[in-house]
Amino acid sequence: MKHIVGKVVLLGFQGVGKTALVTRYVENSFHRQIAPTVGASFFTCKVEADGNMVTLQIWDTAGQERFKAMAPMFYRNANAALLVFDLTSQTSFESIKMWVQELKGNVDEPMMLCMVGNKIDLNDQREVSREQALAYSQSIDATYLECSAKTDQGVGLIFQKLAQGLLRLQGLTSTLKVYDDDIMANSSELEATDTANEETVNVSIGSIAHGNTVNFGKCC
Amino acid sequence: MSTLEVEPGAAPESGLVTTDTLDNFDEMSCSLEEIKNINPSIEDEESNDNAIINEHFDETVSNDNEVASVDDDFELNKDWIGKDKHVFVLSMAGKPIYSRYGNEDKLAWLFGVMQTLVSFIQSSDDCIQSIHAGNTHFVFLVKKPLILVTVSKTRESESQLRIQLNYVFNQITNILTLTRLNKIYEQRQNYDLRRLLSGVERLIDHLLTFSENEPSVMLGAVQCLPLAASVRDTISSAITGACSKIKNLVFAILLANNKLITLVRMKKYCLHPADLHLIFNLVQASESFKNSESWTPLCLPRFDASGFLYGHVSYLSEDCQACLLLLTVERDVFFTLSEAKQKIVEKLRRSNCLEAINESLSTPGESSASAGFVEIRHYLYKCKSTSQFYQPILSPPYTQTKEPLTRIYKRAHHRLHNSSRPLKLMFERSADEAILAWDTKGFELFVVFEPLIDTSAAIMLVGRLLNWIKKKEERLFHLNAPTF
Ligand SMILES: Nc1nc2c(ncn2[C@@H]2O[C@H](COP(=O)(O)OP(=O)(O)OP(=O)(O)O)[C@@H](O)[C@H]2O)c(=O)[nH]1
Ligand SMILES: [Mg+2]
């Protein structure tokens, strides 16, 4: 069993449900009143995929315009970008295109792109058609998925796909950490990591304590 | 009145900048440059930051406007006209930026009038300060590149209103930095700043309510969470221990419930209470910090208006709702600080400090009657040298609504600091209450008594009260000014 540790960045217009999506997966909860993210929030979780363990270090960025200048800090070292838009807002879809442009211009290492149309529970108010989104995702080599953070529909699959995508990135990028077993992965989470600035990886006590007993698709 | 040698709450050194009321708000320092010069390795982001601003200038269409059309016509609305205090922010070119009530776009005409007034007076090389009509005050603060205006019926004094406008200006600087704000308008006089301030209206709303209802802004001081001195020291040393090796960390601030628990700082640097108020406001108004660790840029305008500090923000733990901010000049050290935070929490847990914090948070605090001062309804005591204040909890008749009390304090405060005729001491009795206000070199004191108290009894009580505060000072004030 392999264990890889990958960095994921969530990008998208304000209010599309980035925080709702992560907290739905990590804490399995949904709050109608989620406060807008300030700066960026950090989460970690584990996903089992194809018999391997993937630890995701997730940066949930703020969509508010004033934080845009901060984004490079988070996507620069990311192995995957989750580009989230709101199916009921064409504006938020256009915003994805802008993010893709920015990533293309600033990221050199291979990165998995995953486009997510959120709020499918509001299907009757849809402004972005599935075809439109699919066509664009294919043009940029991204995976496309739809979900609802509110009802949990399709949320698990997104993180499955993310984990599988990261597994496929092994060997293609120097910023992805690969360990041959879990113990190694856990202990090395304590050490300095790969990023340019010798930052130390955040150690989630929970993730160590739980060791191998991780439920499929659910987080630590 | 009192025989104390040193006023309560005073300390040889203070982590907070000493404030006198109505201090000069234009003063700004440039601490960031200094710190960065000591550590030249820190990359300067201004240049690339700028490029990004430009790129996105036109990109996103704000969809605020669409939503707006559904709203009522606020300017014609009785409700809108009847508001106690309006606050408006506009650019020098007259572009609406913020209105406390109603939709700015609908009020374009009003912003136009305000801009015209300002530029009309400016054309004769003068600056408009205020207009008074009956009991409505129009106060203007022209602070390049913005114009701030308040229209108030609250009976707050002009200088108190001006301080609030300054706070609003600082809140905007806190989000953007003054450098960026200036640059934006240098590049485009007509820029619609609301695009960059989306989400900030909430912060400004919150700040205004805070400055109206809490004495901290009026006093220019901060209240501490009552804790045994030994507990506070243990907390401070847990922070120093975990952070002493981390370069470029400027401030570590632990707060709960709008009260300061401790402040640890880089040698040589102090925090201005006005900056700390912005931090309190940010933490209180941002629910999102509660769910996870966050990383956010913020500018402390009194510390340095030109650039950002970066903050690791998190609550100590599920079972202890105190918020820890670790502020650094480096933009890439989240994980280092995250690790330091873990260490701090472990240490605090082991030394039972989390419990101590929780206990202080859950006990309602003392009223002045329960401390033995039955004739005193409420009081505010500010120690000037440490910029900290203490107040007991509310007791009748102010438990239902605090508003009358706030008004009494604001009036008394204005009487003391009235620039044309400042007072050192005043005692005033009305049918409802008596108030004594006293401004000395070391402290400021406002005491509200039962209405029937006579002068000599009041003076005697004040002496006793000061002694009582002195005796409790270790618990009520943060008397150390620890550094990393
Ligand atoms: N109906 C519906 N509402 C959702 C869904 N996901 C999120 N929301 C709502 O959308 C709003 C914004 O959600 P957030 O998760 O805060 O959005 P965000 O993308 O994190 O926003 P920023 O942090 O400002 O960038 C909240 O009121 C959520 O309740 C969903 O799947 N369905
Ligand atoms: Mg969010």
Side-chain angles (χ1 to χ4, degrees), chain A residues 18-50:
Chain A
K18 298 180 291 298
T19 305
L21 181 63
V22 184
T23 45
R24 164 56 83 188
Y25 188 73
V26 174
E27 291 159 14
N28 199 19
S29 63
F30 178 81
H31 306 279
R32 194 172 295 274
Q33 292 295 337
I34 301 176
T37 305
V38 175
S41 305
F42 185 73
F43 296 87
T44 55
C45 70
K46 285 187 176 187
V47 186
E48 203 180 286
D50 310 332

Side-chain angles (χ1 to χ4, degrees), chain A residues 14 40 42 69 73 76 200 202, chain B residues 49 198 293 295 331 335 338:
Chain A
Q14 64 190 77
F42 185 73
M73 216 186 296
R76 220 178 30 217
T200 338
N202 159 275
Chain B
D49 197 37
S198 105
E293 289 174 74
W295 183 244
R331 51 180 359 209
F335 292 102
S338 174

Side-chain angles (χ1 to χ4, degrees), chain B residues 188-420:
Chain B
R188 293 213 194 167
Q189 270 206 339
N190 249 326
Y191 184 67
D192 186 354
L193 198 65
R194 282 178 300 172
R195 221 179 279 178
L196 272 178
L197 292 184
S198 105
V200 182
E201 314 87 347
R202 257 183 54 137
L203 283 177
I204 302 178
D205 293 346
H206 201 276
L207 183 70
L208 285 170
T209 316
F210 176 77
S211 70
E212 282 167 352
N213 301 336
E214 299 296 325
S216 10
V217 169
M218 175 185 88
L219 294 173
V222 172
Q223 191 173 2
C224 288
L225 186 75
L227 281 175
S230 61
V231 171
R232 210 185 299 276
D233 288 345
T234 311
I235 297 173
S236 305
S237 60
I239 295 176
T240 349
C243 298
S244 59
K245 294 224 174 62
I246 303 172
K247 268 194 273 171
N248 296 318
L249 193 58
V250 193
F251 297 114
I253 301 158
L254 186 62
L255 55 94
N257 200 9
N258 263 336
K259 298 194 179 76
L260 182 67
I261 295 174
T262 187
L263 162 69
V264 185
R265 67 215 166 84
M266 188 184 253
K267 281 189 195 70
K268 253 180 71 189
Y269 295 97
C270 293
L271 193 55
H272 196 283
D275 283 343
L276 195 48
H277 292 151
L278 291 179
I279 291 174
F280 280 16
N281 188 55
L282 176 72
V283 170
Q284 255 216 329
S286 311
E287 282 292 310
S288 76
F289 291 145
K290 292 203 168 142
N291 304 323
S292 55
E293 289 174 74
S294 300
W295 183 244
T296 186
L298 75 171
C299 165
L300 299 178
R302 298 303 303 262
F303 175 72
D304 191 329
S306 73
F308 281 126
L309 289 175
Y310 295 86
H312 177 280
V313 189
S314 62
Y315 282 78
L316 285 185
S317 71
E318 292 267 309
D319 59 336
C320 182
Q321 290 296 299
C323 183
L324 177 71
L325 295 103
L326 302 171
L327 306 182
T328 165
V329 296
E330 285 186 83
R331 51 180 359 209
D332 262 346
V333 291
F334 173 85
F335 292 102
T336 314
L337 299 184
S338 174
E339 207 188 333
K341 187 245 168 158
Q342 296 291 353
K343 279 193 206 150
I344 293 169
V345 175
E346 281 161 34
K347 221 176 204 166
L348 295 184
R349 198 177 286 287
R350 267 186 274 121
S351 51
N352 297 327
C353 290
L354 296 186
E355 276 169 37
I357 293 172
N358 282 337
E359 200 185 302
S360 180
L361 281 173
S362 61
T363 44
E366 228 164 346
S367 70
S368 71
S370 67
F373 300 96
V374 282
E375 302 91 337
I376 296 178
R377 289 179 177 172
H378 197 263
Y379 61 91
L380 299 175
Y381 170 85
K382 174 195 172 183
C383 172
K384 288 184 180 175
S385 63
T386 46
S387 294
Q388 295 174 36
F389 78 99
Y390 174 72
Q391 61 180 337
I393 58 160
L394 294 176
S395 44
Y398 307 118
T399 33
Q400 293 286 338
T401 160
K402 204 173 140 187
E403 220 184 291
L405 187 63
T406 309
R407 204 165 23 228
I408 295 166
Y409 283 140
K410 291 225 163 135
R411 212 177 85 81
H413 187 264
H414 176 57
R415 293 285 302 277
L416 285 194
H417 298 288
N418 188 339
S419 54
S420 56

Side-chain angles (χ1 to χ4, degrees), chain A residues 3 6 11 32 36 42 46 71 76-77 81 156 161 180 182 194:
Chain A
H3 188 146
L11 299 168
R32 194 172 295 274
F42 185 73
K46 285 187 176 187
R76 220 178 30 217
N77 295 307
K161 292 274 183 199
D180 285 331
D182 243 29
D194 42 302

Side-chain angles (χ1 to χ4, degrees), chain B residues 34-77:
Chain B
E34 284 172 26
I35 297 173
K36 285 181 181 170
N37 284 340
I38 304 168
N39 278 298
S41 61
I42 301 165
E43 53 177 309
D44 210 353
E45 84 273 15
E46 277 309 328
S47 45
N48 66 26
D49 197 37
N50 228 354
I52 291 169
I53 305 174
N54 285 335
E55 221 169 276
H56 298 318
F57 251 132
D58 306 289
E59 300 257 357
T60 35
V61 239
S62 96
N63 49 2
D64 292 350
N65 299 359
E66 297 159 31
V67 188
S69 55
V70 198
D71 279 7
D72 296 328
D73 272 359
F74 268 102
E75 73 275 27
L76 300 173
N77 190 320

